[in-house]
Amino acid sequence: MLAAQGTAPHRIAVIAPSPVSMFNLAIPELLFAKVEVDGGPGYELVVCTPEPGPITTTGGLDLHVGRGLDAVRDADTVLVAGTGQRYAPDPATVTAVREAAAAGKRIASICSGAFVLAEAGLLDGRSATTYWELADELSKRYPALDLKGDVLYVQDGQIMTSSGYAAGIDLCLHIIRTDYGAAVANQVARLALVAPVRPGGQTQFTQTPLPPERGEACADTRGWAMRNLDKPLTLTDLARHAGVSVRTLTRRFHAESGVSPLQWLLHQRIERAKELLETTTLPMDQVARACGLGTADSLRGHLVRRTGLTPSAYRTQFSRLGTVPKPVTSSVA
C-alpha cells in the first residue's frame, strides 16, 4: 500500500448507540484496518458508547464496549453507527457529536446514525441521506435538512451521511480515498473483496453511483473487461467472452449490475482515468488511451460531466504525487 514518512495514524471514534447494528460496526474495522502507511496503520480505530460495558445489538446479542465517549474528544473523525433507537437518541451522544463538529472534526454516519446527527442539529440546511426505508421518517422529523434519498452517501462540508448496509462500505472507502488517494482506496477494496470506490452524492460527483452487484453469472466477464479497459470493447466482445448472445448478456448484466454493459464499462473507464490522473504524470492523450476513452477531448467531456472538473483541474486537486500523503485531521471542505 501507500507509504509515507512520519505520518501519524488518523484517529477514528466509532460511536455504538444501543441497540447498535453489528454490521455497521464491522465495516469500519474491516476497511480502515487494511490501510498501512510506512509499514504502520493509517488509522487508529476505537469503538465507544455512552456507558461502557455490555450493550445490546439490533440482532438481540450483547456486545461489550469498553470505551466511553471520551474517545470522541481524541478523534479526528467521528462515525456514528446505525441504531434501532432512532426516536430518542442518547443525549450524551448527541452532545458529544455536536461538540465534535464545533471543534472542526469530520463527522459521519451509517444508516440510521443520521438521526443522531440530525438531532444534534448538524444536518440543518445540509444535504444528507439515510437508508431508503427510513428516508421519509428522517425528512419529516427533521425538515430543515435537504434529503437525498437516491444516493449511496453524501458529503456536505465536514458532515457525511450514508444509506444502509453496503453503502457504509462506500462511505468508508470514500473517506480512505479522501485521506490517502484512489490507489490506496481501490487496493483496500480489492483486499476486502468489495467493489472499488464509487461516487456518492457530494456536489462534485452528482451522477448516481452504480448499485451493488448482485449475482456472479457475469463476474468473469466483468473482471476480464476491467483487465482490458484500454481496448475498444464492444457489446459483441463482452457477449463473446461470456459465451452468450448480446441479448442474454444485456439482460444478465442489468440484473446483476443495475445498468447496461456499456454504462458499466463507461463508469469503469472514468474511474480508471481518475486513478491515473491522481497517481501518474501521463499526458492526457495517454490517460485517455489507457482507460479506453480514446482521445483527450473524449476524456475531458466525460470527466467534466462526471465530476465538474477538467482532467487538468482534477489532477491539480487530487494528485498524490510529490507530496506526503496525510489524512485530514480537522474538517473536510
Side-chain angles (χ1 to χ4, degrees), residues 23-295:
F23 183 63
N24 280 192
L25 289 182
I27 291 170
E29 190 280 330
L30 170 68
L31 298 176
F32 293 126
K34 295 187 182 301
V35 178
E36 293 183 2
V37 180
D38 194 25
Y43 292 95
E44 180 181 293
L45 190 76
V46 60
V47 177
C48 59
T49 195
E51 296 184 10
I55 66 171
T56 59
T57 69
T58 53
L61 300 176
D62 285 336
L63 183 68
H64 184 86
V65 178
R67 189 73 182 270
L69 294 177
D70 61 295
V72 172
R73 293 193 298 270
D74 300 327
D76 303 307
T77 294
V78 179
L79 194 159
V80 182
T83 174
Q85 180 61 26
R86 305 185 302 277
Y87 303 113
D90 174 76
T93 300
V94 172
T95 298
V97 170
R98 185 186 296 123
E99 292 177 349
K105 302 178 188 294
R106 183 169 57 188
I107 312 296
S109 67
I110 299 177
C111 194
S112 57
F115 284 77
V116 175
L117 274 56
E119 185 69 18
L122 303 185
L123 302 185
D124 290 353
R126 294 183 184 272
S127 297
T129 192
T130 189
Y131 183 47
W132 65 269
E133 284 192 333
L134 307 177
D136 286 345
E137 178 187 339
L138 180 67
S139 184
K140 290 176 181 177
R141 289 178 63 84
Y142 304 99
L145 63 81
D146 178 18
L147 180 69
K148 304 295 183 184
D150 58 350
V151 297
L152 293 179
Y153 59 88
V154 175
Q155 177 174 357
D156 190 329
Q158 74 191 93
I159 309 299
M160 303 179 183
T161 52
S162 76
S163 181
Y165 299 103
I169 295 174
D170 294 290
L171 176 66
C172 290
L173 288 174
H174 169 67
I175 291 173
I176 295 170
R177 178 176 185 156
T178 299
D179 293 344
Y180 293 105
V184 171
N186 287 334
Q187 173 69 356
V188 169
R190 285 191 288 270
L191 290 172
L193 300 178
V194 297
V197 180
R198 299 185 290 178
Q202 64 206 89
T203 303
Q204 214 168 294
F205 305 106
T206 55
Q207 179 168 325
T208 301
L210 296 184
E213 292 171 356
R214 305 177 297 272
E216 298 296 327
C218 296
D220 287 345
T221 297
R222 288 195 296 267
W224 172 79
M226 290 290 291
R227 295 189 296 273
N228 290 276
L229 288 178
D230 59 323
K231 297 179 174 61
L233 302 177
T234 66
L235 267 177
T236 301
D237 294 328
L238 295 171
R240 182 182 299 113
H241 182 274
V244 297
S245 68
V246 169
R247 184 175 180 178
T248 298
L249 174 80
T250 301
R251 184 181 70 253
R252 290 180 180 175
F253 219 98
H254 198 283
E256 292 185 10
S257 302
V259 293
S260 72
L262 294 184
Q263 287 174 319
W264 178 90
L265 190 60
L266 177 60
H267 179 91
Q268 303 305 333
R269 292 190 193 284
I270 295 171
E271 287 301 301
R272 178 68 57 80
K274 287 158 62 178
E275 184 170 337
L276 291 173
L277 289 170
E278 292 181 27
T279 60
T280 75
T281 59
L282 289 173
M284 298 306 171
D285 58 343
Q286 291 186 31
V287 172
R289 289 197 297 271
C291 63
L293 291 175
T295 67

